[in-house]
């Protein structure tokens, strides 16, 4: 079977935004937003109050994002909801008024597309909310509601708010605020399919699917893919899967998943025993135990052999997200570890995804703390921001880092090296995770498509300050790499 995935994703660099906490701007015609009581922007976030970030605010920051090199946005849910994270959907066809409503989303879409950028929305199709019309009707009408079979009602009366009484309906992880759809009901299935189709027909560039593993109805995601791709074959479909995603990446369902295993392995390698385990949950994302270069190479090879190459190129690679502690906090604020992780993120096959604020040093432990307000410029870590900018630009400049093959070339202690090759062009990446400078020597012959002489005309694309004793011969490169530093060398 030939598997087709969106070509644009292979070249994209994503920026994930939690809209309530990124940026706020109130246009003249929506001044009523100024009267909404809000939590202080720099106050610790919680799950009840709103900080008031909106889509107009995102539009106001597009110059900033584009200058850094980001080409696509993934937004956590934007639809009408009664919570700041908006995973409690009230209306799948209405953007939350606090975010600016549908008008603001149209404006964001248009401005992104004018810049050649893309927009991916968050699809929460496993569960809705107590305020979702059909469920609310059940609460009001009881067994007389025409929507009773849209959800998993087990007994009467329903108790949607009083935890001392049995709920009598199924909800996601037994959270009464999140009644779970009955996906066996053809009407529910058709409703959700049409929601997916509608927003793609309105110019959205894809869906990130929330907890898709919870929808077990046979054929659901296969039909979803068929119908979305019928509207736009280049629409991106990526799912929230924490572990082995092979059941969903067979070419019939998703184009990729949030590649948490990549992040786990990468942080275990660059962070080692610096990883702050107390900030990590007992399940899901957990980069432990520490890995040496051989262990990291094995983990990466396992990932690369797990999926077809065209799927690997559209994985959504990440180091953190709105669901886990921020990468800076996971690494205990250790700058060298963070830079090494960033090098590996920007040079791995698939689309790198950066969580808002990571690029300026925003910290935060497990949710909701990881959803802090984007800091004011006086609080930015400018040198870290510069590293993000530089490495994103290197990825854009070197096509081999986006779509080239991946070959592990060196695993020696904490020194890891690999090559990316595309036709007669390529790049070599070397990471020294040791606390002391280390010498290395890499044989280039495994990159057989690149003539040995082609390397001699290349240049160091990143990390020239980290290398000494540089020696480049026809079939080998060698040198001494400074402690806990990295290097990217590329052909012309």
């Amino acid at each position: 079977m030939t598997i087709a995935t969106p070509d644009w994703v292979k070249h994209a660099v994503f920026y994930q935004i939690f809209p309530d906490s990124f940026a706020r701007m109130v246009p003249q015609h929506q001044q009523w937003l100024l009267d909404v009581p809000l939590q202080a922007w720099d106050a610790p976030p919680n799950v009840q109050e709103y900080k008031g970030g909106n889509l107009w605010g995102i539009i106001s920051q597009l110059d900033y994002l584009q200058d850094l090199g980001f080409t696509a946005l993934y937004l956590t849910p934007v639809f009408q909801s009664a919570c700041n994270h908006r995973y409690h959907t009230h209306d799948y066809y209405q953007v939350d008024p606090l975010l600016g409503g549908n008008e603001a989303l149209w404006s964001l879409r248009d401005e992104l597309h004018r810049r050649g950028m893309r927009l991916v929305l968050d699809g929460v199709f496993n569960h809705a909310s107590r305020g979702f019309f059909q469920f609310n009707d059940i609460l009001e009408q009881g067994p007389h509601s025409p929507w009773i079979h849209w959800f998993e009602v087990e007994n009467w009366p329903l108790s949607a708010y009083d935890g001392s009484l049995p709920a009598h309906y199924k909800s996601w992880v037994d959270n009464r605020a999140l009644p779970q759809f009955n996906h066996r009901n053809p009407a529910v299935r058709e409703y959700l399919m049409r929601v997916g189709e509608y927003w793609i027909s309105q110019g959205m560039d894809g869906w990130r699917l929330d907890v898709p593993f919870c929808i077990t109805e046979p054929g659901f995601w296969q039909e979803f893919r068929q119908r979305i791709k019928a509207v736009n074959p280049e629409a991106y479909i990526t799912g929230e899967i924490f572990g082995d995603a092979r059941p969903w990446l067979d070419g019939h369902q998703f184009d990729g998943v949030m590649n948490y295993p990549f992040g786990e392995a990468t942080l275990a390698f660059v962070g080692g025993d610096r990883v702050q385990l107390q900030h990590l949950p007992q399940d899901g994302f957990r980069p432990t135990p520490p890995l040496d270069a051989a262990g990291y190479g094995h983990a990466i090879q396992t990932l690369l052999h797990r999926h077809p190459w065209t799927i690997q190129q559209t994985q959504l690679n990440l180091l953190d997200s709105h669901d886990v502690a921020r990468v800076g906090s996971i690494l205990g604020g250790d700058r060298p570890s963070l830079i090494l992780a960033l090098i590996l993120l920007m040079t791995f096959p698939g689309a790198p995804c950066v969580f808002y604020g990571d690029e300026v040093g925003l910290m935060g432990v497990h949710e909701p703390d990881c959803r802090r307000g984007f800091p004011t410029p006086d609080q930015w870590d400018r040198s870290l921001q510069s590293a993000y900018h530089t490495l994103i630009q290197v990825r854009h400049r070197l096509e081999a880092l986006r779509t080239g093959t991946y070959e592990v070339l060196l695993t020696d202690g904490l020194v890891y090296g690999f090559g990316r090759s595309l036709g007669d062009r390529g790049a070599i990446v070397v990471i020294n995770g040791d606390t002391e400078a280390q010498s290395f020597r890499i044989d280039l012959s495994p990159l057989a498509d690149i003539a040995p002489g082609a390397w001699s005309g290349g240049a160091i694309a990143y990390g020239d300050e980290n290398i000494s004793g540089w020696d480049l011969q026809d079939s080998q490169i060698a040198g001494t790499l400074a402690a806990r530093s990295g290097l990217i060398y590329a052909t012309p």
Side-chain angles (χ1 to χ4, degrees):
M1 181 188 97
T2 301
I3 299 174
T5 55
D7 190 63
W8 65 267
V9 177
K10 303 166 189 175
H11 304 276
V13 179
F14 277 84
Y15 193 75
Q16 182 196 349
I17 295 176
F18 187 78
D20 188 60
S21 302
F22 179 60
R24 186 169 189 249
M25 197 274 284
V26 179
Q28 187 65 35
H29 67 287
Q30 291 192 341
Q31 291 293 291
W32 68 270
L33 289 170
L34 295 174
D35 299 325
V36 178
L38 299 171
Q39 183 191 43
W41 192 259
D42 58 355
N46 58 49
V47 296
Q48 286 84 29
E49 297 177 276
Y50 297 90
K51 290 188 177 295
N54 58 28
L55 302 185
W56 301 114
I58 295 174
I59 293 170
S60 73
Q61 297 302 312
L62 290 183
D63 283 346
Y64 164 80
L65 296 176
Q66 192 169 33
D67 287 347
L68 280 171
F70 294 105
T71 64
L73 302 185
Y74 151 45
L75 308 185
T76 57
V78 299
F79 302 122
Q80 185 175 312
S81 178
C83 59
N84 58 37
H85 57 72
R86 297 182 171 88
Y87 282 93
H88 300 51
T89 311
H90 280 190
D91 190 333
Y92 287 87
Y93 288 96
Q94 296 296 322
V95 173
D96 198 296
L98 286 178
L99 294 179
N102 288 21
E103 176 193 1
L105 184 61
W106 305 146
S107 296
L108 176 59
R109 171 203 62 193
D110 293 345
E111 185 57 28
L112 285 168
H113 289 173
R114 184 184 70 80
R115 296 165 180 261
M117 300 173 71
R118 307 281 184 148
L119 179 58
V120 171
L121 301 182
D122 204 317
V124 188
F125 300 141
N126 177 68
H127 48 264
S129 71
R130 291 174 292 212
F132 180 66
F133 172 80
Q134 286 83 345
F135 188 79
N136 193 253
D137 191 82
I138 297 172
L139 294 181
E140 294 291 331
Q141 307 300 331
H144 304 291
S145 171
W147 314 106
I148 187 172
H149 297 299
W150 277 51
F151 297 90
E152 301 275 0
V153 175
E154 299 170 325
N155 209 336
W156 300 99
L158 303 190
S159 178
Y161 294 94
D162 187 349
S164 68
L165 299 174
H168 285 159
Y169 62 89
K170 288 186 179 179
S171 57
W172 187 68
V173 296
D174 295 325
N175 183 340
R176 302 170 192 242
L178 303 174
Q180 192 159 304
F181 282 117
N182 174 16
H183 297 95
R184 296 187 303 277
N185 185 336
V188 170
R189 183 166 174 151
E190 182 62 20
Y191 173 84
L192 295 174
M193 295 297 167
R194 290 188 181 187
V195 169
E197 291 172 322
Y198 174 77
W199 290 105
I200 298 300
S201 73
Q202 297 302 306
M204 304 303 121
D205 296 294
W207 286 107
R208 175 269 188 189
L209 302 169
D210 184 60
V211 294
F213 50 90
C214 293
I215 299 179
T216 58
E217 185 63 17
F220 184 92
W221 291 123
Q222 289 84 350
E223 181 181 354
F224 186 84
R225 179 183 183 85
Q226 291 169 3
R227 293 180 64 161
I228 294 301
K229 297 292 186 177
V231 178
N232 178 6
E234 283 290 290
Y236 182 39
I237 303 173
T238 188
E240 179 196 22
I241 305 290
F242 276 86
D244 187 343
R246 278 177 288 188
W248 292 272
L249 296 180
D250 58 358
H252 296 286
Q253 298 173 82
F254 308 157
D255 298 310
V257 298
M258 300 178 77
N259 198 356
Y260 285 103
F262 165 79
E264 288 177 331
T266 297
L267 297 183
F269 171 51
V270 303
D273 57 11
R274 303 174 191 87
V275 172
Q276 305 296 299
L277 297 178
Q278 70 272 22
H279 297 327
L280 300 170
Q282 294 302 311
D283 55 2
F285 190 63
R286 196 161 180 81
T288 183
L291 294 174
D292 61 9
Y296 183 64
H298 175 74
I300 290 302
Q301 293 283 42
T302 298
L303 282 179
L304 291 174
H305 287 98
R306 186 174 283 173
H307 309 297
W309 181 243
T310 188
I311 291 284
Q312 181 60 54
Q313 291 179 295
T314 48
Q315 291 278 65
L316 193 65
N317 301 326
L318 71 170
L319 301 172
D320 59 2
S321 75
H322 66 293
D323 282 325
V324 301
R326 285 185 175 270
V327 61
S329 294
I330 293 174
L331 295 172
D334 184 69
R335 172 64 63 79
S337 295
L338 180 53
I339 296 298
L340 293 182
L342 183 60
I343 295 171
L344 292 168
L345 175 67
M346 291 299 164
T347 57
F348 194 66
C353 183
V354 173
F355 191 33
Y356 80 98
D358 281 351
E359 77 281 6
V360 295
L362 187 59
M363 305 287 274
V365 296
H366 200 259
E367 62 171 294
D369 191 54
C370 60
R371 303 164 182 176
R372 298 179 188 181
F374 191 88
T376 54
D378 60 297
Q379 300 173 304
W380 291 0
D381 184 330
R382 299 282 183 173
S383 63
L384 180 60
Q385 183 188 50
S386 177
Y388 272 83
H389 175 265
T390 298
L391 284 162
I392 291 171
Q393 297 306 320
V394 168
R395 182 177 180 87
H396 285 320
R397 189 167 74 248
L398 302 177
E399 189 174 357
L401 292 181
R402 304 194 303 274
T403 60
T405 62
Y406 187 109
E407 293 285 344
V408 177
L409 301 175
L410 175 66
T411 58
D412 182 13
L414 291 174
V415 181
Y416 178 72
F418 63 94
R420 304 290 308 274
S421 63
L422 182 67
D424 59 355
R425 296 189 176 185
I428 300 295
V429 181
V430 189
I431 299 291
N432 177 19
D434 204 301
T435 55
E436 297 182 359
Q438 295 292 330
S439 297
F440 68 90
R441 183 173 296 276
I442 291 179
D443 179 11
L444 300 174
S445 60
L447 304 176
D449 290 339
I450 303 176
W455 293 101
S456 62
I460 297 175
Y462 178 85
D464 55 352
E465 73 281 7
N466 299 328
I467 190 75
S468 62
W470 179 255
D471 181 31
L472 172 64
Q473 299 178 1
D474 283 351
S475 60
Q476 289 187 338
I477 59 171
T480 299
L481 201 53
R484 306 189 65 213
S485 67
L487 170 78
I488 303 174
Y489 180 82
T491 59

